């Protein structure tokens, strides 16, 4: 349980009462109670209201609001309000404003217009955090702190002179001498050598390909710059209110921040998920993966879905409405993937401003006549039936290695082809998702003891020490799958010489000599050795030389005809598969599913396609979530499973029928 103060799954949303007159606040509380809301995030964009001038704080409105919420039985996730600086701060020091790589300034008039390295911003935001912590630390409505908001969301990096100065200091700490930096950055190439720190710039606009190590180091530096901001706020909160949980909201598909490093500093992880609800299954896969990623960023603490939309967003070209029942389904999907709370952006739809067409829990129309509000009430009722699942966890035996450094390096350009890391990872994830097998995402170096099957998709950037980390686990019996274009460079982006994949060539039992990337319409046929089945490689192929591994499939045509496309190597008590080509999504799913099956990792039950099944466990209690992602009723056998369905309180056995977008949560009962 995140807090004794709310012994239920969290339910609520971002609450922005500063946009409304006081009469509306009382109505809000009444409606929140009607919907069984118990947790709201307040003040995320309230800096200007809380501190209208330098040195002048206005807390009266928030005092009143906190009292109202507390009397209404609603807990507060109080924001530190630092995500959008007040106009006076920018006027005081225009250097607060960030710059893009072309030297263009991001001006006020929107939000998040701050340079993470601006001293003025840092000092002013910390003063605000301290004032809030001191004033509300003991307030009975306070449940947790919501630090800033979606760090790096609108601009992933600032390139201003202040950042340049800070970057030089960061580099000096990392490399010690300019000579060491020259070595690491490979500046012997293209006459890039530096004589002094002052000669170095951020990777601003350049005539052609930037130095890849400079780029990578800047991504590391920016991640740390934002993280330093977060730590600066958290330090104050922990000092003044050591007992209050702290979190900041992530966006699972967000590239600029290494959330594994951030996760360790959260008392609970949270994320904002806005999959496109347009017809097709992409939305439900993206939602499932976002929840699993966020859960994985810190596996020891609870996870909350902090934001989603009730109906439709306002920022796509075409903003498809969630179909009736879909909001409930996707909300319960988050719980099915481990969430201990379900929240929305935002509580009441704005009347003015850039997000007035963004859906909310209370829409512009009379809530009593609104479909959306009726569904919001229904969801409140559903969540209130799920107290028993609190503190239950997803137990995964399959893992996918996911590295932010790799993401940054792989997508940096000037490679054998353009790679997009997230879709590659998603393809692996989808294979497990289709089999209803729980998956954790794993940062290189994490403890692997609980996993039996590990997939390493295109881990191009590979630190030497990761080799032993994988070896040790495979030796003990782990089954590892590594895919093409892995272990190609080290953390400096220098090639691992002596055959691609050389740091782990003993583990793989092979080395890679060269590659042939494929255009979208190109295919290269290959054939499985055992079954003689023919398939086609897409996207990327490699010329593999076996050194101990056995070929499981080989190319039958093309420049690498006769050489392996898929291999297996025995290593200690384990096995290592190497996939030197991208497979079609169908084949990828089929063969990973088969592999999991062969090593005895199964879903608890076979369910029809279109139904998702997850399991949360707590001690010997087991909660099975069945989610029907289709707009049609499905019925299927429960086999020997019997138990109590928590949303209806009914006993179930033998079979289950799920209406369109229907959900069942069954607590297993023996016998
Ligand atoms: C999030 C943000 C919210 C709101 C929402 C709209 O990125 O945190 O404040 O803007 O998007 O979808």
């Amino acid at each position: 349980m995140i807090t004794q103060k709310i012994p239920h799954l969290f339910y609520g949303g971002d609450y922005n009462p500063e946009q409304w007159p006081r009469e509306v606040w009382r109505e809000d509380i009444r409606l929140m109670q009607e919907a069984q809301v118990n947790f709201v995030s307040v003040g995320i964009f309230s800096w200007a209201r809380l501190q209208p001038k330098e040195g002048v704080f206005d807390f009266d409105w928030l005092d009143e609001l906190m009292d109202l919420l507390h009397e209404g039985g609603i807990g507060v996730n109080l924001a530190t309000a630092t995500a959008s600086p007040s106009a006076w701060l920018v006027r005081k020091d225009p250097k607060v404003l960030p710059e893009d790589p072309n030297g263009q300034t991001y001006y006020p008039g929107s939000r998040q217009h701050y340079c993470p390295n601006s001293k003025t911003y840092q000092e002013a935001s910390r003063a605000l955090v301290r004032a809030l912590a001191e004033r509300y630390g003991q307030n009975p409505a306070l449940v947790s702190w919501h630090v800033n908001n979606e760090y790096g969301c609108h601009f992933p990096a600032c390139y201003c002179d202040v950042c340049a100065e800070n970057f030089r200091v960061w580099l000096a700490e990392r490399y010690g001498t300019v000579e060491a930096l020259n070595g690491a950055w490979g500046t012997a190439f293209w006459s890039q050598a530096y004589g002094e720190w002052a000669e170095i710039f951020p990777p601003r606009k350049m005539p052609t390909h930037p130095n890849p190590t400079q780029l990578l180091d800047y991504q590391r530096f920016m991640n740390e710059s934002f993280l330093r901001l977060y730590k600066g706020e958290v330090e104050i909160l922990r000092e003044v209110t050591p007992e209050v949980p702290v979190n900041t909201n992530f966006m699972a598909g967000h590239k600029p921040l290494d959330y594994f490093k951030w996760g360790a500093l959260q008392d609970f992880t949270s994320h904002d998920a806005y999959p496109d609800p347009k017809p097709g299954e992409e939305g439900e896969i993206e939602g499932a993966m976002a929840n699993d990623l966020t859960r994985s960023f810190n596996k020891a603490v609870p996870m909350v879905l902090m934001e989603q939309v009730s109906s439709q967003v306002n920022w796509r070209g075409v903003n498809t409405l969630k179909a009736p029942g879909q909001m409930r389904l996707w909300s319960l999907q988050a719980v099915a993937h481990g969430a201990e709370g379900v929240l929305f952006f935002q509580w009441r739809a704005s009347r003015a401003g850039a997000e007035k067409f963004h859906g909310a829990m209370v829409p512009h129309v009379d809530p009593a006549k609104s479909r959306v509000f009726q569904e919001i009430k229904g969801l409140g009722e559903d969540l209130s039936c799920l107290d028993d699942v609190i503190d239950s966890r997803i137990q995964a035996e399959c893992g996918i290695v996911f590295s932010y450094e790799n993401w940054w390096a792989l997508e940096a350009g000037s490679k054998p082809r353009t790679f997009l890391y997230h879709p590659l990872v998603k393809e692996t994830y989808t294979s497990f998702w289709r089999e209803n097998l729980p998956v954790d995402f794993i940062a290189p170096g994490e403890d692997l003891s609980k996993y039996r099957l590990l997939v390493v998709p295109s881990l191009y950037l590979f630190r030497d020490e990761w080799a032993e980390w994988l070896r040790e686990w495979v030796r003990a019996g782990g089954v590892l799958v590594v895919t093409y274009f892995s272990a190609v460079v080290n953390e400096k982006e220098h090639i691992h010489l002596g055959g691609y994949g050389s740091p782990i060539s003993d583990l793989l039992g092979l080395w890679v000599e060269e590659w042939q990337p494929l255009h979208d319409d190109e295919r290269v046929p290959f054939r499985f050795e055992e079954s003689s089945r023919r398939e086609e490689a897409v996207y990327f192929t490699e010329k593999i030389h076996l050194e101990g591994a056995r070929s499981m499939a080989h190319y039958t045509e093309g420049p690498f005809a006769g050489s392996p496309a898929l291999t297996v190597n025995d290593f200690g008590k384990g096995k290592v598969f190497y996939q030197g080509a991208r497979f079609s999504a169908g084949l990828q799913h089929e063969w990973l599913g088969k592999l999991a099956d062969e090593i005895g990792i199964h879903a608890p039950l076979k369910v029809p396609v279109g139904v998702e099944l997850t399991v949360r466990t707590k001690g010997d209690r087991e909660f099975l979530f069945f989610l029907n992602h289709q707009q049609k009723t499905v019925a299927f056998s429960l086999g020997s499973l019997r138990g109590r369905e928590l949303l209806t309180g009914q006993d179930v056995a033998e079979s289950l029928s799920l209406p369109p977008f229907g959900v069942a949560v069954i607590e297993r009962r023996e016998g």
Side-chain angles (χ1 to χ4, degrees), residues 14 45 111 149-150 153 249 272 274 307 313 315 345 355 358:
D14 283 16
F45 295 104
R111 64 175 175 184
N149 193 61
E150 294 184 341
C153 171
N249 47 344
D272 304 343
Y274 294 94
E307 285 184 26
V313 300
W315 41 259
F345 174 82
E355 294 191 313
H358 192 289

Side-chain angles (χ1 to χ4, degrees), residues 250-254 259-260 263 269-271 285-299 303 337 400-404 407 421-422 425-426 429 439-443 446:
F250 298 155
M251 296 160 282
H254 188 56
Y259 283 142
F260 283 107
T269 56
S270 71
H271 73 117
I285 300 174
E286 195 182 316
M289 179 164 157
N291 284 297
D292 284 335
L293 264 166
T294 309
R295 190 174 57 67
S296 297
F297 294 140
N298 182 340
K299 299 174 182 73
M303 182 270 283
H337 283 264
I400 300 175
V401 172
F402 187 82
S403 154
Y404 281 87
W407 193 351
Y421 186 47
H422 215 262
V425 173
K426 190 172 168 197
Y429 177 81
V439 185
D440 282 352
F441 291 92
I442 296 164
E446 264 191 67

Side-chain angles (χ1 to χ4, degrees), residues 557-580:
E557 284 172 36
F560 308 147
S563 72
L566 177 68
T567 67
V568 60
N569 190 35
D570 299 320
F571 192 89
K573 293 188 187 147
K575 268 192 180 0
V576 183
F577 295 87
Y578 185 72
Q579 201 183 309

Side-chain angles (χ1 to χ4, degrees), residues 297-551:
F297 294 140
N298 182 340
K299 299 174 182 73
V301 298
M303 182 270 283
V304 166
L305 174 59
M306 189 58 82
E307 285 184 26
Q308 59 169 340
V309 71
S310 60
S311 54
Q312 67 211 134
V313 300
N314 64 319
W315 41 259
R316 290 196 174 94
V318 175
N319 296 300
T320 304
L321 187 64
K322 283 182 177 166
Q326 201 171 16
M327 176 276 284
R328 172 183 187 262
L329 173 70
W330 286 8
S331 299
L332 293 172
Q333 185 193 40
V335 181
H337 283 264
E340 298 273 295
V342 171
L343 288 91
F344 293 81
F345 174 82
Q346 59 177 331
W347 165 252
R348 180 180 284 278
S350 300
R351 190 173 183 187
E355 294 191 313
K356 57 184 174 296
F357 292 114
H358 192 289
M361 299 170 86
V362 177
H364 294 137
V365 300
D366 177 357
K369 296 181 187 151
S370 143
R371 171 192 67 85
V372 167
F373 188 67
Q374 299 316 306
E375 288 197 29
I376 288 291
K377 273 172 51 178
L379 180 60
E381 185 56 36
D382 287 327
L383 294 174
S384 75
C385 302
L386 297 178
D387 284 355
D388 282 355
V389 307
I390 293 172
D391 289 337
S392 61
R393 291 296 166 95
I394 305 283
Q395 307 291 354
E397 291 182 307
C398 302
I400 300 175
V401 172
F402 187 82
S403 154
Y404 281 87
E405 272 190 327
N406 182 55
W407 193 351
W408 301 334
L410 185 67
E411 292 187 358
S414 59
K415 302 274 182 333
R417 65 158 298 141
T418 303
F419 287 95
L420 289 175
Y421 186 47
H422 215 262
L424 299 184
V425 173
K426 190 172 168 197
E427 204 165 81
T428 302
Y429 177 81
T430 304
S431 304
F432 290 119
W433 181 82
R434 288 196 196 290
E435 293 295 312
N436 292 309
L437 298 177
V439 185
D440 282 352
F441 291 92
I442 296 164
E446 264 191 67
D447 177 15
L448 297 178
S449 49
K450 64 177 281 230
Y451 304 104
R452 295 169 62 203
L453 174 58
L454 198 64
V455 183
V456 178
S458 302
L459 195 59
Y460 157 77
L461 185 153
F462 197 98
R463 289 175 179 257
D464 285 332
E465 63 266 30
W466 298 349
E468 195 44 36
W469 168 66
L470 290 174
R471 273 187 210 114
E472 205 181 302
W473 175 76
V474 178
R475 248 182 233 122
V479 175
L480 179 68
V481 178
V482 179
T483 77
Y484 53 90
F485 210 53
S486 280
V488 176
V489 297
N490 65 13
E491 71 279 11
K492 297 180 196 145
E493 268 255 35
H494 295 197
I495 300 285
H496 288 295
L497 297 174
Y500 301 116
S502 61
I504 46 171
S505 57
D506 59 330
L507 194 58
L508 305 177
L510 56 82
W511 57 278
V512 174
E513 182 189 353
E514 52 184 344
W515 31 64
Q516 175 70 299
L518 307 178
H519 291 279
D520 286 355
D521 56 353
E522 278 184 287
R523 302 278 180 274
V524 179
F526 66 87
R527 194 171 68 215
F528 281 90
E529 317 295 1
E530 244 178 56
S531 61
S532 297
R533 173 173 164 184
R534 289 170 186 278
E535 285 290 343
E536 287 179 332
V538 296
Y539 194 77
F540 203 70
T541 57
E542 291 181 333
K543 180 159 187 191
I544 290 173
H545 292 272
L546 297 177
E547 267 185 9
R550 300 181 298 283
S551 173

